[in-house]
Amino acid sequence: MNRVRNLKLVLWMLAGFGFAVGLTRFFFGLGATTNLGDGVPWGLWIGFDVMSGVALAGGGFVMTAIVYIFGREEYHPIVRPAVLTAFLGYVAVIFGLLFDLGLPWNIWHMIVFWNPHSPLFEVGWCVMLYTTVLLLEFSPVPMESSSAWAKIRATLIKIRIPLVITGIALSTLHQSSLGTLFMIMPYRVPVLWYSPILPILFFISAIGLGMLMVTFESHFTSYFYRRKPEIHLLKNLAGWSRWVLLLYLSVRIGDLAVRGQLDALTAQGWRTVWFWVEIVMMVGAPLVFFSVPKLRISRTGQWTGATLGVSGIVLNRINVGGFVHLDRGAGIYLPSFAELAITLAVVATLALIFLFFLERFHVWEERPVDPNAKPEALPEFDYASMVSLGAPSVASRYTRSLAFILAAALGFALLSDDVLTSKGFESNPVRAARGGDTLWVDGNRDNYGVAFPHSQHVKFVEEILTPGIEITDRENGGVSFASETEVPQYHDKAAICSQCHHMNLPGDQASGCYECHSDMYNISDSFGHDWHSETAGAGLSCFTCHQTGMAKNAESAKQCNECHDDLVPAYAAIEVEQYLAPGYTDAMHGMCQNCHKIHAEEVEKADLGRCTTCHTGQTREVIKRDQLNRWSNVPNNDITTFSSVR
Amino acid sequence: MEAWLEFGRGPLFRFCLVILILGLLRSVVLSLYGMNEALRRAGDKIVPWSDLTNKTFQWLIPVTRLFRKRPVYSAISFIWHIGVILVPLFLSAHVLLLFANGIGIHWWPEFPQRIADLMTLITVIMGILLFLGRVSSRESRFLSRFQDYAWVPLITLTFLTGGLCANLNLSAGSYQFSMLLHVYSADLILMLIPFTKVAHCVLLPMSQYISGVAWKFPKNAGDRVAETIGKEGMPV
């Protein structure tokens, strides 16, 4: 068992898995690949990758302060890995953000277009500047390996103290301003997490987390490289982190006390329990594990305390970032498969880069033994073909790349067809209009709709179609009125209905709008190819519709009305030319606006063609009644708009 | 049957396509990496780069040396390669179903159906001839491994079933079955390419070049050896 090689294999697989999924995010957009939406615009990527990533990188500024500002040189062995972790943490934040931004190629905008009132502007600038500072702080390490860099390296070391001070200042600014972001929503963030001093709380916990993270990282890599962690140094760090976290807890509870919200600590509900889980993990666990002397100097004690503490603070960031107030927004959010895969891939890639630096440069005092470079190691064989793969380093290159492509293929295969054929829009299925004679037209059931008096419209169409009334042929956006020569008899009911209902679905008469215009905003398929071909549906053979000897596409297929002869009613005002139906909103506007505008000119009542004539404030009354009794018929006299204008 | 067909065209196809693309890329990168490593270890100062490049390009022209030894077999193989490469890429049904509907590429050119049918027929015939050529020759039998026998029938099967699906007047009743065979054998082909000898579709120039780099004799190498061992001008 070689721990590092197995770890790297797993990391390569995770990276490959997310690689394919990540590409699809850029090709098909956020709507297709994530569960984010207008209601929940910030999800896992912000909560974990950005909020927690920044916090987890806190080790960088804490350790540089301890070593270079407070002059505790004995901690030098752990400052390099701490700075490296911080640097890669920030790179992860930036990568996570590139996936999350809707228009990632505009990320440079904040450099040019300033909005100094926005906390995000400050966070963005600080992340950018601090990543640069971390790069400059760390780059002397790889520069050691070549004498060509000696001069630059010497300069970087000379300006180290100003760099460290800048780094601490920048960290102070944006560790806290990540908390500031949530001060804008005092009514949304629950009382146990909201605080007017959220920035201060974030900053204090980042200091504690920095120390815990250094401990965690040291034990993590020591396990995999089978080396001794710096227990004697880490035990002091652990001890200090305990005091910082205790300070954090007292400020947090004190703030609740000052604001008179102490009752919330014992209130009923899952949030109270969740709050205590968070506190026990982030403060309680380090307090216990680092206070018992035996545990504090043992590997297990340090490792467990640090892991629990780090997870507790990550939990805190995720909670503030959205978890505890998700139910106060719009709908339930669970990260999609793509979001999880991409997050894991970002972490795995950065971990691989971390291991690369560990093995190639003097990040530790001593370089870890490269497990692949042992001269006594036997050559390895490919088990399938028994071909020699040569030395273990070559063999692991082959296996890791194979693992990467297999995982990438699996990730791509697991994406649903909907994602790959999607245009990146969310689907908003439409439901039937409700009501009796006066219909409540509200396709997506958000209670913003239009009351539609059906019988008045029927009456109006009857009048138009009555012989003797002068009517000219008009064509406007696909709507054409029957010309005088072909005016049907007014008592022909089918002809009257067909002025608006331009489709009769098989077995139906005057089908409802929502049957074909089945999506609120997107073009939808009114044909249903799969239903026609499946045995569970119509079970038709391909060649019932498609011509043999030709490519099977729309051109080689029969027209709908070759089989369904009554699909399009006679005298229909709209001619259906293809099986793709426009979105519900477009269809409604196309149907209503055109006639209303024409009629408004005819009767010289401009209101008839205006949006607010139908989308009225009066509908609020209707909504109220509708909410009391959802299936009630809206009485005719409630809707004065149409009739009064007429 | 329909569910299996959907699986073969959907997730399995995507899986195999990624394996094909990334797998071939991996082979190229790894072989270049290996070449670089071999060069570094050997520490050669003189490598006849231009000579090697010229030779590699000469080997890429299919009608030079091979045709002198077994002209009929080479000609059959040449025609077979044309069909095998072009038909899957430019068949109109593939262009619509795989490229346009599957991965959203709408600008891909396509063959007329009649030409595609003709090329399919020729490819199937050439495939049978190739197989017979391999089996009938003693030298070929001696050199052949399992994959050398299996590849030509596998590809021929895919072309045959594909041709049947495109021309249903030949086999109206067996459409679903032919399609299933076609889709799954094609998926298998895509998946196996990077790991078998068909990887020569991208590795052919690489393997020529890399073995050239590894097994070269620099110009005047003999004279230099003679100089070193103190036997200048003497017959070797």
Side-chain angles (χ1 to χ4, degrees):
Chain A
M1 278 282 275
N2 186 323
R3 287 173 185 171
V4 195
R5 279 180 74 184
N6 290 339
L7 173 71
K8 283 188 186 168
L9 193 64
V10 172
L11 291 176
W12 274 104
M13 276 156 88
L14 287 176
F17 198 73
F19 169 76
V21 181
L23 280 185
T24 55
R25 178 256 166 269
F26 287 113
F27 277 113
F28 301 106
L30 287 172
T33 40
T34 67
N35 283 346
L36 301 170
D38 290 343
V40 186
W42 284 5
L44 181 74
W45 287 338
I46 295 294
F48 182 75
D49 296 22
V50 176
M51 301 266 294
S52 309
V54 166
L56 290 173
F61 83 95
V62 174
M63 287 317 297
T64 50
I66 291 175
V67 174
Y68 297 115
I69 305 296
F70 298 114
R72 303 292 295 262
E73 282 292 330
E74 67 267 32
Y75 290 94
H76 196 262
I78 41 182
V79 78
R80 283 182 166 189
V83 172
L84 179 60
T85 315
F87 173 59
L88 294 178
Y90 274 87
V91 175
V93 168
I94 295 170
F95 268 98
L97 209 58
L98 283 180
F99 282 106
D100 191 73
L101 291 175
L103 309 171
W105 48 91
N106 284 348
I107 196 168
W108 55 273
H109 273 200
M110 63 160 195
I111 304 174
V112 183
F113 308 114
W114 284 26
N115 176 13
H117 300 290
S118 156
L120 272 179
F121 170 75
E122 192 217 323
V123 173
W125 264 92
C126 285
V127 167
M128 188 175 75
L129 292 177
Y130 188 46
T131 312
T132 316
V133 167
L134 281 170
L135 178 68
L136 295 177
E137 279 179 0
F138 182 70
S139 47
V141 176
M143 283 177 186
E144 277 170 359
S145 55
S146 161
S147 56
W149 297 94
K151 258 191 185 168
I152 305 174
R153 186 168 182 271
T155 322
L156 283 177
I157 289 176
K158 227 176 260 175
I159 59 161
R160 181 181 274 155
I161 298 294
L163 272 183
V164 167
I165 295 173
T166 321
I168 295 168
L170 289 169
S171 291
T172 314
L173 278 170
H174 75 277
Q175 291 283 359
S176 56
S177 51
L178 279 177
T180 316
L181 290 181
F182 292 90
M183 284 170 63
I184 201 171
M185 34 179 115
Y187 302 107
R188 178 162 166 163
V189 182
V191 67
L192 283 172
W193 282 272
Y194 180 79
S195 156
I197 55 164
L198 211 49
I200 298 175
L201 288 175
F202 263 51
F203 179 63
I204 300 176
S205 57
I207 297 176
L209 177 67
M211 299 174 183
L212 290 178
M213 191 58 199
V214 172
T215 315
F216 171 81
E217 172 267 316
S218 177
H219 280 283
F220 183 79
T221 44
S222 301
Y223 170 80
F224 283 104
Y225 285 100
R226 296 181 191 274
R227 79 191 258 280
K228 277 191 182 147
E230 301 86 350
I231 297 234
H232 56 292
L233 298 175
L234 296 175
K235 86 168 197 273
N236 294 341
L237 274 185
W240 297 337
S241 73
R242 197 175 43 158
W243 295 115
V244 176
L245 291 171
L246 213 54
L247 172 72
Y248 169 79
L249 183 65
S250 43
V251 172
R252 196 161 166 190
I253 303 284
D255 168 61
L256 283 174
V258 169
R259 291 186 292 124
Q261 302 280 10
L262 278 179
D263 295 349
L265 290 176
T266 50
Q268 291 266 320
W270 67 273
R271 285 197 184 83
T272 316
V273 180
W274 197 236
F275 171 83
W276 285 112
V277 169
E278 182 190 306
I279 292 295
V280 165
M281 277 172 74
M282 82 191 269
V283 185
L287 214 58
V288 171
F289 280 92
F290 302 153
S291 293
V292 181
K294 224 177 177 179
L295 287 175
R296 191 168 143 192
I297 53 163
S298 78
R299 278 182 87 151
T300 327
Q302 287 192 353
W303 157 258
T304 322
T307 311
L308 282 173
V310 167
S311 330
I313 298 176
V314 168
L315 184 63
N316 172 262
R317 297 299 194 264
I318 290 177
N319 283 343
V320 176
F323 186 79
V324 289
H325 46 89
L326 265 187
D327 54 346
R328 297 182 173 187
I332 298 292
Y333 159 81
L334 273 177
S336 72
F337 148 76
E339 282 172 87
L340 282 169
I342 290 173
T343 297
L344 285 175
V346 170
V347 174
T349 312
L350 272 300
L352 281 171
I353 299 175
F354 184 81
L355 298 181
F356 171 83
F357 276 108
L358 272 193
E359 286 176 12
R360 292 295 185 291
F361 304 106
H362 282 277
V363 176
W364 286 333
E365 301 279 276
E366 84 289 353
R367 258 166 65 182
V369 185
D370 182 357
N372 297 323
K374 278 184 201 159
E376 72 273 18
L378 296 168
E380 298 195 7
F381 292 89
D382 174 27
Y383 295 111
S385 61
M386 285 317 282
V387 169
S388 167
L389 293 173
S393 64
V394 182
S396 48
R397 191 192 306 150
Y398 272 76
T399 30
R400 277 174 209 156
S401 55
L402 186 63
F404 182 87
I405 63 162
L406 283 177
L410 192 65
F412 195 58
L414 284 179
L415 288 170
S416 69
D417 290 326
D418 298 346
V419 169
L420 297 172
T421 51
S422 133
K423 301 268 186 306
F425 298 115
E426 278 179 80
S427 69
N428 285 283
V430 172
R431 281 169 286 185
R434 292 159 295 168
D437 181 62
T438 297
L439 286 163
W440 181 235
V441 181
D442 175 18
N444 55 353
R445 299 275 159 95
D446 65 351
N447 274 342
Y448 290 95
V450 170
F452 175 81
H454 188 259
S455 60
Q456 288 184 9
H457 283 81
V458 175
K459 215 179 285 171
F460 176 67
V461 175
E462 272 177 356
E463 280 173 23
I464 291 180
L465 296 183
T466 306
I469 292 182
E470 191 185 331
I471 280 198
T472 48
D473 192 326
R474 299 186 194 87
E475 293 244 357
N476 199 328
V479 180
S480 67
F481 279 77
S483 70
E484 205 172 356
T485 48
E486 55 183 49
V487 167
Q489 289 303 301
Y490 73 94
H491 51 75
D492 183 352
K493 192 176 170 229
I496 292 165
C497 296
S498 69
Q499 288 301 308
C500 296
H501 296 272
H502 49 271
M503 265 300 242
N504 294 327
L505 288 182
D508 195 11
Q509 285 291 317
S511 303
C513 318
Y514 74 103
E515 303 251 23
C516 296
H517 304 281
S518 54
D519 193 280
M520 202 64 192
Y521 310 108
N522 298 336
I523 290 172
S524 46
D525 171 19
S526 66
F527 164 53
H529 179 274
D530 291 349
W531 186 87
H532 280 84
S533 66
E534 276 167 13
T535 33
L540 302 178
S541 135
C542 303
F543 301 97
T544 314
C545 304
H546 292 284
Q547 288 174 39
T548 49
M550 278 178 76
K552 291 191 284 298
N553 53 25
E555 280 81 52
S556 71
K558 281 184 190 166
Q559 296 290 312
C560 301
N561 57 8
E562 288 181 45
C563 301
H564 305 285
D565 46 6
D566 58 344
L567 210 57
V568 182
Y571 313 115
I574 289 180
E575 260 180 58
V576 180
E577 280 165 3
Q578 54 169 355
Y579 66 97
L580 295 173
Y584 192 71
T585 317
D586 289 343
M588 288 292 140
H589 284 158
M591 176 67 86
C592 305
Q593 275 179 339
N594 288 318
C595 299
H596 272 232
K597 277 182 193 160
I598 294 163
H599 194 60
E601 280 172 23
E602 261 175 15
V603 297
E604 286 176 9
K605 283 191 172 164
D607 278 353
L608 207 54
R610 286 185 183 149
C611 308
T612 46
T613 309
C614 302
H615 301 272
T616 54
Q618 231 175 353
T619 51
R620 290 190 183 284
E621 292 297 311
V622 180
I623 292 164
K624 258 186 208 161
R625 199 159 303 136
D626 198 54
Q627 278 170 338
L628 288 175
N629 184 3
R630 302 212 90 180
W631 295 101
S632 70
N633 292 353
V634 184
N636 219 358
N637 55 14
D638 261 50
I639 313 300
T640 49
T641 48
F642 191 86
S643 48
S644 66
V645 173
R646 259 191 106 190
Chain B
M1 196 95 125
E2 273 159 13
W4 282 104
L5 210 53
E6 281 308 303
F7 178 73
R9 281 168 168 168
L12 188 63
F13 171 68
R14 290 201 291 274
F15 182 83
C16 298
L17 191 71
V18 174
I19 294 270
L20 172 75
I21 295 170
L22 291 184
L24 288 176
L25 212 62
R26 164 181 178 260
S27 310
V28 172
V29 170
L30 283 178
S31 56
L32 282 178
Y33 200 100
M35 182 185 88
N36 188 36
E37 212 162 54
L39 267 181
R40 193 168 49 81
R41 284 195 188 150
D44 287 343
K45 298 270 174 352
I46 304 164
V47 180
W49 292 112
S50 59
D51 201 33
L52 288 173
T53 316
N54 286 343
K55 268 192 186 147
T56 306
F57 277 111
Q58 277 170 27
W59 273 101
L60 281 182
I61 300 165
V63 285
T64 47
R65 311 184 185 203
L66 288 173
F67 272 75
R68 285 177 219 153
K69 283 246 170 186
R70 290 172 75 182
V72 178
Y73 189 78
S74 301
I76 293 173
S77 166
F78 184 63
I79 300 169
W80 151 268
H81 273 83
I82 293 175
V84 163
I85 294 169
L86 294 185
V87 174
L89 284 178
F90 299 110
L91 179 75
S92 60
H94 284 184
V95 172
L96 179 80
L97 291 173
L98 295 181
F99 302 143
N101 290 359
I103 42 185
I105 299 173
H106 294 282
W107 41 262
W108 202 268
E110 60 181 53
F111 279 160
Q113 185 66 37
R114 199 175 285 268
I115 293 183
D117 282 342
L118 191 68
M119 284 174 81
T120 306
L121 186 66
I122 293 173
T123 310
V124 169
I125 294 169
M126 293 300 135
I128 295 168
L129 291 179
L130 267 185
F131 188 71
L132 291 178
R134 184 177 285 281
V135 177
S136 61
S137 151
R138 230 181 110 203
E139 292 89 339
S140 295
R141 278 207 307 276
F142 184 70
L143 286 171
S144 297
R145 297 158 293 172
F146 172 72
Q147 54 161 310
D148 295 311
Y149 288 117
W151 263 112
V152 170
L154 180 61
I155 294 175
T156 312
L157 173 75
T158 313
F159 270 76
L160 191 69
T161 47
L164 284 179
C165 291
N167 297 283
L168 271 158
N169 35 358
L170 297 177
S171 61
S174 63
Y175 176 79
Q176 295 273 13
F177 182 69
S178 317
M179 198 42 142
L180 201 69
L181 269 183
H182 178 69
V183 166
Y184 276 83
S185 55
D187 281 344
L188 189 65
I189 288 173
L190 293 185
M191 192 160 45
L192 288 179
I193 283 176
F195 307 109
T196 53
K197 68 169 197 172
V198 188
H200 74 253
C201 59
V202 292
L203 287 185
L204 183 63
M206 315 294 307
S207 51
Q208 177 62 33
Y209 198 64
I210 289 165
S211 36
V213 169
W215 300 101
K216 67 198 173 285
F217 282 110
K219 271 181 188 167
N220 311 327
D223 296 347
R224 283 155 168 264
V225 171
E227 201 178 307
T228 312
I229 59 175
K231 293 190 173 179
E232 285 168 84
M234 293 165 81
V236 182

